[in-house]
Amino acid sequence: MTMQDIQKAVQLLKAGGLVAFPTETVYGLGADARNPQAVKRIFSAKERPYDHPLIVHIADSTQLNDWAREIPQAAYRLAQAFWPGPLTLILKKQTHVLDEVTGSQDTVGLRIPRHPIAQQLLSAFGDGVVAPSANKFTHISPTSAAHVEQELGASVDLILDGGDCEVGLESTIIDMSGNRPIILRPGMITAESIAQVLKEDVGFKQGETLSVRAPGMHHLHYAPETKTVLMQTQELSRFVTTLIPQDGQVALLMHSSTVLPHKQNVHIKKMPQEAAAYAHDLYHQLRLLDNQHFTRIVVEAVPSSAEWEAIRDRLTKASSK
Ligand code: TXA
Ligand code: MG
């Protein structure tokens, strides 16, 4: 990646173009947050409903006031502790922020990513860039430039290749616009670590209580095309034993060292046993398995501890089709 690539990306953004770029979480599909036509292009490229708001990405905290108002002290503390990094703050918006960006809500999502290419791009652009994950609506988020090409190809003006994404799952989203902090989407920055910084409990909004606008609540979000099911470790052995050839080729995504009976039509993919490494690999592996046309993808359920929270969330969504 050269300075020329960044300059070209900036010119494209200024001209209303779409630039896909790497962040530490997943690849984003970027557009000038102040250009309504450019923002609209994002929705058509992704085939995403217009009422799903976008996150505005900025280079540094001095730009926070350009986009948000009435920012609580607690939000500054989170920004201080976790930015640049995989955390999105929902704050009351400044009046100029486009309805296309906020889904006509009174709040805006803001994030400072820490991937060096994202940082260079945002600094050189000098203003807010909206960037949803660079995939078609309901598909798995891309964690490499090749995934973006596969998902959006011709509808992107430029893809900046920054290699594999370090985190591999989307940012933690926390709503700081109300009376108490509420996590709208779990991520690798856990509720626990946020509570430690804030010295207060954080709420969790989930499932039924959320409006359609809330993150990832569409029932097909983050799902592979292949039917995907979650299975407890202790059920795996019986499942494999009772499979018959007519069940077709089944993929099994495992992280534990449980030994299973050998079966011709069961393809085991071993995942890391540690949460961060697992998160890093998850979307890449699901995408690979999805492309191989198995009759089913069976995913071994992951531990119930805090550091697996975001992974459990995405696996539940991947298997809810
Ligand atoms: O890690 C990430 O957050 C990635 C990278 C590219 O930064 N971006 C990402 O964007 O995941 P997207 O659009 O795929 O998911 C953002 C979610 C959406 O589901 C949206 O509903 C929610 O953030 N969101 C954005 N603004 C919001 C707001 N004002 N209130 C509530 N939810 C909001
Ligand atoms: Mg997304």
Side-chain angles (χ1 to χ4, degrees):
M1 187 73 33
T2 65
M3 209 47 219
Q4 264 151 341
D5 296 317
I6 300 290
Q7 282 312 330
K8 187 175 170 206
V10 167
Q11 277 160 18
L12 283 167
L13 288 175
K14 294 224 193 268
L18 300 186
V19 174
F21 63 96
T23 81
E24 73 280 18
T25 58
V26 300
Y27 274 72
L29 179 62
D32 179 355
R34 295 189 197 252
N35 179 338
Q37 297 314 326
V39 176
K40 283 196 185 114
R41 279 190 64 197
I42 286 189
F43 288 92
S44 19
K46 281 182 63 86
E47 296 165 29
R48 166 158 155 156
Y50 282 97
D51 64 355
H52 281 243
L54 303 173
I55 297 169
V56 177
H57 295 66
I58 52 178
D60 62 81
S61 311
T62 59
Q63 292 169 292
L64 207 46
N65 287 299
D66 296 345
W67 299 93
R69 64 175 212 277
E70 298 168 36
I71 303 169
Q73 272 312 312
Y76 283 113
R77 285 210 298 281
L78 293 181
Q80 177 80 35
F82 298 111
W83 280 353
L87 180 73
T88 296
L89 300 178
I90 306 294
L91 297 165
K92 292 215 176 91
K93 70 167 190 120
Q94 290 287 7
T95 44
H96 73 84
V97 186
L98 298 170
D99 281 343
E100 287 85 351
V101 171
T102 65
S104 305
Q105 302 184 83
D106 191 35
T107 55
V108 62
L110 287 156
R111 172 163 121 76
I112 302 181
R114 73 164 172 245
H115 192 293
I117 293 175
Q119 293 243 315
Q120 284 172 46
L121 178 68
L122 294 168
S123 303
F125 184 69
D127 204 357
V129 171
V130 279
S133 51
N135 53 276
K136 286 259 160 56
F137 184 58
T138 77
H139 288 193
I140 298 167
S141 296
T143 55
S144 76
H147 297 165
V148 179
E149 179 65 39
Q150 196 185 69
E151 284 285 326
L152 301 172
S155 47
V156 194
D157 297 306
L158 177 68
I159 302 174
L160 296 175
D161 190 344
D164 283 356
C165 298
E166 171 203 340
V167 177
L169 294 185
E170 304 83 354
S171 62
T172 305
I173 302 181
I174 184 157
D175 186 351
M176 299 302 289
S177 70
N179 294 330
R180 67 183 283 238
I182 294 179
I183 290 184
L184 302 182
R185 179 174 72 186
M188 296 309 280
I189 292 178
T190 62
E192 273 183 354
S193 56
I194 289 174
Q196 254 168 35
V197 169
L198 295 181
K199 298 186 176 65
E200 72 172 304
D201 276 353
V202 298
F204 247 97
K205 237 181 181 183
Q206 262 187 343
E208 308 71 47
T209 54
L210 276 183
S211 77
V212 263
R213 285 174 181 153
M217 289 320 300
H218 192 276
H219 71 297
L220 293 177
H221 244 91
Y222 313 107
E225 299 287 317
T226 313
K227 184 180 164 60
T228 302
V229 293
L230 267 176
M231 206 173 277
Q232 297 301 322
T233 307
Q234 61 271 23
E235 295 169 12
L236 289 175
S237 188
R238 209 180 76 92
F239 168 74
V240 169
T241 309
T242 54
L243 265 180
I244 54 171
Q246 285 72 19
D247 292 323
Q249 303 294 314
V250 174
L252 185 48
L253 202 64
M254 288 185 70
H255 64 276
S256 76
S257 43
T258 312
V259 179
L260 296 176
H262 180 76
K263 266 290 176 67
Q264 284 280 291
N265 56 343
V266 178
H267 301 261
I268 295 179
K269 175 66 212 167
K270 273 289 190 157
M271 291 291 283
Q273 295 197 320
E274 194 253 321
Y278 187 108
H280 174 274
D281 290 2
L282 180 61
Y283 286 162
H284 181 65
Q285 286 308 337
L286 284 179
R287 207 172 264 277
L288 281 179
L289 296 179
D290 207 16
N291 289 339
Q292 292 171 51
H293 307 290
F294 288 104
T295 55
R296 242 184 299 178
I297 300 171
V298 176
V299 182
E300 179 185 17
V302 297
S304 55
S305 51
E307 79 258 29
W308 291 86
E309 185 172 81
I311 297 166
R312 282 196 306 277
D313 172 77
R314 302 310 189 277
L315 288 178
T316 304
K317 281 165 184 157
S319 59
S320 65
K321 216 176 198 172

